[in-house]
Amino acid sequence: MTDEPIRSAATVVLWRESPDGPQVLMGQRGEGAVFMPSKFVFPGGRVDPEDEAAARPGFLTPDCARRLSLKVPHDAPAPGTLVATALRELTEETGLNLATMEHPTLRFIFRAITPPGRTRRFDARFLLAHADSLDDNREDFTLASGELSHLRWLPLPDARALDLPFITEVVLAEVAALVTGHDQPGVPFFDNSGATPQFRRLV
């Protein structure tokens, strides 16, 4: 059986402060979904052809843009295209929008390629954003597409107790460190593009 092609994808991890500590926005995939049914995830999805024309500048620091371009195939989408995907998926799945701010609002924090043998395979880039960057009501999900149900802001310990994909668990641990002031020695990259899984850091 021919293995699934690897599709580029982008995900937004939204977070905010609360009296109970940092919270993240998550939703649940449908039980009939082909990929990760019933799992709780961050809003995101694969790059669509129109995202290239909709490339969004100004959301990334030069360093994040450079790291998004490391260890990629020759036909990989440009950083601005990945940003367009992330913002489109955020709006479609939650009804929320990130605004163009005076300073870059997205931080590239994690990358993972789905291992062989899965029903879908993605080269997923995770981008972190603070809720202050939203240009609308961060509690109003009425315009969401319905692809994710049970959309809500969750304290990090509650989020980590949900039924999560393995990579989402790892990303949540990374987010917990970052939002409490820790830095990264390069962006973690779970590289399953070849026969042997490799862990890399994009520095």
Side-chain angles (χ1 to χ4, degrees), residues 78-171:
T81 301
L82 292 167
V83 168
T85 300
L87 299 184
R88 175 181 54 76
E89 290 283 345
L90 175 68
T91 300
E92 289 176 1
E93 295 185 353
T94 71
L96 304 179
N97 295 280
L98 277 186
T100 303
M101 310 287 281
E102 182 180 348
H103 303 290
T105 54
L106 288 170
R107 178 177 177 180
F108 177 36
I109 63 163
F110 201 88
R111 180 179 168 196
I113 296 178
T114 313
R118 306 297 172 87
T119 55
R120 295 285 188 275
R121 296 187 70 196
F122 295 100
D123 186 345
R125 289 77 160 184
F126 293 80
L127 306 171
L128 183 67
H130 194 280
D132 284 350
S133 303
L134 294 168
D135 68 359
D136 42 23
N137 186 345
R138 65 195 63 172
E139 302 288 350
D140 182 7
F141 306 122
T142 56
L143 296 179
S145 65
E147 186 173 343
L148 295 180
S149 60
H150 306 297
L151 281 164
R152 58 189 186 272
W153 293 95
L154 293 161
L156 288 172
D158 294 359
R160 295 175 79 171
L162 296 171
D163 184 10
L164 305 172
F166 166 72
I167 284 298
T168 305
E169 294 181 24
V170 179
V171 173

Side-chain angles (χ1 to χ4, degrees), residues 29-53:
R29 291 179 58 79
E31 62 180 17
V34 174
F35 187 68
M36 299 189 299
S38 302
K39 298 288 188 180
F40 279 85
V41 296
F42 306 112
R46 71 179 185 185
V47 175
D48 284 349
E50 61 267 26
D51 293 332
E52 182 175 359

Side-chain angles (χ1 to χ4, degrees), residues 13 15 17 22 24 64 67 106-110 126-130 156 160 170-188 201:
V13 183
W15 77 282
E17 297 94 350
V24 290
C64 281
R67 287 175 172 176
L106 288 170
R107 178 177 177 180
F108 177 36
I109 63 163
F110 201 88
F126 293 80
L127 306 171
L128 183 67
H130 194 280
L156 288 172
R160 295 175 79 171
V170 179
V171 173
L172 275 171
E174 200 73 19
V175 170
L178 289 171
V179 302
T180 52
H182 294 79
D183 206 357
Q184 288 181 315
V187 174
R201 285 197 181 270

